[in-house]
Amino acid sequence: MKILRKLAIGAAGGACLLALSAASLWELDRAFPPPLPAELTVSTEVQDRDGELLRAFATPDGYWRLETRLDQVDKQFVDMLVTYEDKRFWDHGGVDVLALARAAGQFATSGHIVSGGSTLSMQLARLIEPRESRSLGSKVRQMLRAIQIERRLSKREILERYLTLAPYGGNLEGVRAASLAYFGKEPKRLTVSESALLVALPQLPEKRRPDRNLKIAHAARDRVLTRMVSSRLLGEREAARAALDDVSGLRRTLPALAAHAAYAVLPKAVPGQPLQLTIRKSVQEGLEQVARDAATKLGPRLSVAMVLADSRTGDILGEVGSANFFDASRSGWIDMTKIVRSPGSTLKPFIYGLAFEQGLVAQETLIDDSPVDFSGYRPKNFDMGYQGDVSIRQALQLSLNVPAIRVLDAVGPTRLMARFRQAGVNPILPVNEAPGLAIGLGGVGVTLRDLVQLYTGLANGGKTHTLHDGTEPANAERTSATILDGQANWQIIDILSGVKPPEGALQRGIAYKTGTSYGYRDAWSVGFDGRYVLGVWVGRPDAGAVPGLSGYVSAAPILFEGFVRSGLATVPLPGKPPGMFSPRREDLPVTLARFGAGSDGLVQATVSEPAPTIIFPPDGARVDLGTNSADASPLVLKLQGGRAPFRWLANGKPLTGIDRRRTATWQPDGAGYSTLTVIDAAGRAASVKVFVE
């Protein structure tokens, strides 16, 4: 009985001692927690629209340390890491007693360290609290910290922190930075050889880094492969094949794309959260390479800027602010996509578009290309020559200056500027000057972004979208507006799609326009298919003159190469809208046969002329406008003769307003027969009966 009582007392005392020890450890754990911040200090990442890395910025202490999640890393690499470093990682509580006993036994028998007993949790403890020496006290401290870490973090979280903080040589920390630097790719799909090297590096990162000690790195990788075979994670043949792979001695720079946009979005950075742009990485890579190659060919001090946008959304998929951000000779730090410059002839399509909209011209309307004086303003063609009579189509395709100014004089510079502002673009005029005819030839300031935004309207059926790339404030307004009506817009597309590609370029089914500013300071080319718009600027950032610089010779080849290297599939240009009237020259009514000099640009009717005649639609015509669909097209009405202004009626009901133009549009209520009537200023009328379906 006495023995049992003593045993009971001893057990109770031991239990009390254990309880006191546990309580003490609990209090110590609470009093001295491990330094585990909720968010690690990592590099700020700028990602593309799909989450791919465009550019990273080093941490304040100068390290490339990219946050890493397990789903960003190859599973086989993780399996190899755990097998090599801590095979019972998923089972122990921070300290592997068996591994420590093995290491101690090996040390006792050999007199030196044969293998370590550190778990991944202990290694993480060393990474967050670097030790000053490899003493027994330091090892015990790591063990205690590892136990604390295991109480606070899941196994997955421990692995992710290790993969983010592990040293890989120099200022590389974490497996993502190492994989990008040594292999040029994210660690999502590593080869067996690459995985083995990344497993080996953190033990002796400076000694084994392949960019400085290639043979040592090679041998370390092979040791990992041998261990994987003995652990039965790899077969002998698979390991042998991996051992034949070369170990590259090259350290690459981390991705450094979209420099200007990346620096612009940097103020929005939140610790631990990547920044995202609308850019697509593959597009950006292609455009930057095109810009670098082109600048090299163009010569010193010249730079290239490019913007590629999705016309349906306004998303910028690629933007190059300069040929080389770090090239001081080209002022590479200046983002030339946002600098105001003279656009040359690139605004001409919108001049003609308004003329089509107002019924002033048809594609085959003749216009005089000869010297002219507009109250002292005497425009001249780029080549200083004149063509005489040309069609509107030829005038725009050849980018003749005199015809464009004749049409702008009829359309009105103020109306053109108002349409630009309606589309969200505010061209810069000289101080205290009203819009004048010179804006048609580049006498106004716009940015490359402005120009691309205007052209998104041409690619998108006449509707523009505000461009955005992700650098804008969160509350920035995104608007859409109509730059041209659908039928006028198609006329411009049809003309520009017939412009001859630059020499050596492949026809990609795009429409485009070039421009050269006064004094050979800026060369432009803007092109589009049925969805994407690409704008190119070439010139000197200091606005210096460059003899021989021109849009067609200097910028257009870059445009076509940019479309190719963007990797985007060509989207077909839109077809002719229903009800579109595109007569041949011999079929033009007298009022559209030649562009006149009247106040509205038309050949003016006289009192002696006969009553007006409706030339489209013809009497008795059947017109398919798709009235049964949700987006039925309006019917374009055109007349000849008569005297302005005109009033139109449909089935006896007047259409809105009185117009001096000889064209109008009518949206029928539904299918069936309708009677259309026009009345001119002299009270003369004409009618046609049509069947709409």
Side-chain angles (χ1 to χ4, degrees), residues 156-214:
R156 181 184 181 92
E157 290 172 329
I158 291 171
L159 259 182
E160 289 181 338
R161 292 209 175 202
Y162 174 83
L163 293 173
T164 300
L165 297 174
Y168 281 90
N171 63 344
L172 296 175
E173 288 191 354
V175 69
R176 285 185 62 209
S179 183
L180 288 164
Y182 294 134
F183 311 135
K185 64 180 181 181
E186 293 277 359
K188 183 66 175 176
R189 292 181 177 82
L190 296 170
T191 66
V192 173
S193 172
E194 292 166 346
S195 294
L197 179 61
L198 293 181
V199 167
L201 287 179
Q203 287 79 45
L204 295 168
E206 291 304 320
K207 185 177 180 180
R208 294 177 177 177
R209 54 187 289 187
D211 59 323
R212 292 190 177 178
N213 303 298
L214 186 58

Side-chain angles (χ1 to χ4, degrees), residues 51 86 305 368 427 433-434 481 485 511 527 533 614 623:
D86 187 1
D368 183 22
E433 282 196 20
D485 73 33
V533 181
I614 298 174
V623 183

Side-chain angles (χ1 to χ4, degrees), residues 193-408:
S193 172
E194 292 166 346
S195 294
L197 179 61
L198 293 181
V199 167
L201 287 179
Q203 287 79 45
L204 295 168
E206 291 304 320
K207 185 177 180 180
R208 294 177 177 177
R209 54 187 289 187
D211 59 323
R212 292 190 177 178
N213 303 298
L214 186 58
K215 289 184 179 180
I216 296 175
H218 198 287
R221 180 207 64 178
D222 290 348
R223 282 195 295 273
V224 173
L225 292 173
T226 301
R227 176 83 68 83
M228 294 304 104
V229 173
S230 63
S231 300
R232 297 184 179 180
L233 188 65
L234 293 178
E236 290 186 5
R237 290 186 177 180
E238 186 177 14
R241 286 196 298 269
L244 294 175
D245 291 346
D246 290 332
V247 175
S248 172
L250 175 67
R251 173 172 166 170
R252 300 165 179 82
T253 58
L254 267 62
L257 299 168
H260 297 91
Y263 279 102
V265 79
L266 194 56
K268 297 169 67 175
V270 176
Q273 295 183 17
L275 298 163
Q276 195 161 39
L277 300 174
T278 63
I279 286 170
R280 181 171 293 159
K281 183 177 182 180
S282 58
V283 174
Q284 186 70 24
E285 286 177 325
L287 295 187
E288 289 196 14
Q289 187 61 54
V290 169
R292 284 193 296 270
D293 293 345
T296 300
K297 293 179 182 178
L298 288 166
R301 306 184 72 178
L302 281 166
S303 193
V304 177
M306 308 172 77
V307 174
L308 191 152
D310 185 337
S311 68
R312 299 178 188 177
T313 63
D315 288 354
I316 292 177
L317 303 181
E319 56 183 337
V320 181
S322 65
N324 187 332
F325 185 82
F326 296 104
D327 189 343
S329 68
R330 304 179 196 273
S331 301
W333 61 86
I334 300 177
D335 185 356
M336 295 305 299
T337 69
K338 299 178 180 179
I339 301 300
V340 175
R341 305 298 282 260
S342 165
S345 297
T346 56
L347 300 181
K348 287 177 181 175
F350 303 99
I351 298 173
Y352 288 101
L354 288 180
F356 278 113
E357 217 177 71
Q358 296 173 34
L360 302 181
V361 297
Q363 287 198 33
E364 294 303 321
T365 298
L366 292 177
I367 189 168
D368 183 22
D369 178 33
S370 61
V372 63
D373 187 330
F374 294 94
S375 301
Y377 178 58
R378 301 180 180 87
K380 295 180 175 59
N381 288 325
F382 184 75
D383 62 0
M384 305 304 290
Y386 298 93
Q387 304 286 326
D389 279 352
V390 293
S391 68
I392 291 293
R393 181 181 181 88
Q394 292 170 325
L396 179 52
Q397 288 183 342
L398 297 174
S399 196
L400 300 176
N401 290 343
V402 174
I405 299 305
R406 288 186 187 274
V407 175
L408 179 59

Side-chain angles (χ1 to χ4, degrees), residues 398-431:
L398 297 174
S399 196
L400 300 176
N401 290 343
V402 174
I405 299 305
R406 288 186 187 274
V407 175
L408 179 59
D409 187 45
V411 168
T414 301
R415 181 177 294 176
L416 180 65
M417 290 289 285
R419 194 62 65 92
F420 289 159
R421 294 190 181 101
Q422 179 180 316
V425 172
N426 292 295
I428 306 301
L429 289 166
V431 179

Side-chain angles (χ1 to χ4, degrees), residues 12 51 89 115-116 147 172 257 297-298 392 406 452 497 513-514 517 595 629:
F89 170 74
S115 64
I147 295 171
L172 296 175
L257 299 168
K297 293 179 182 178
L298 288 166
I392 291 293
R406 288 186 187 274
V452 171
S497 65
K513 181 73 182 75
T514 61
S517 68
F595 185 80
S629 63

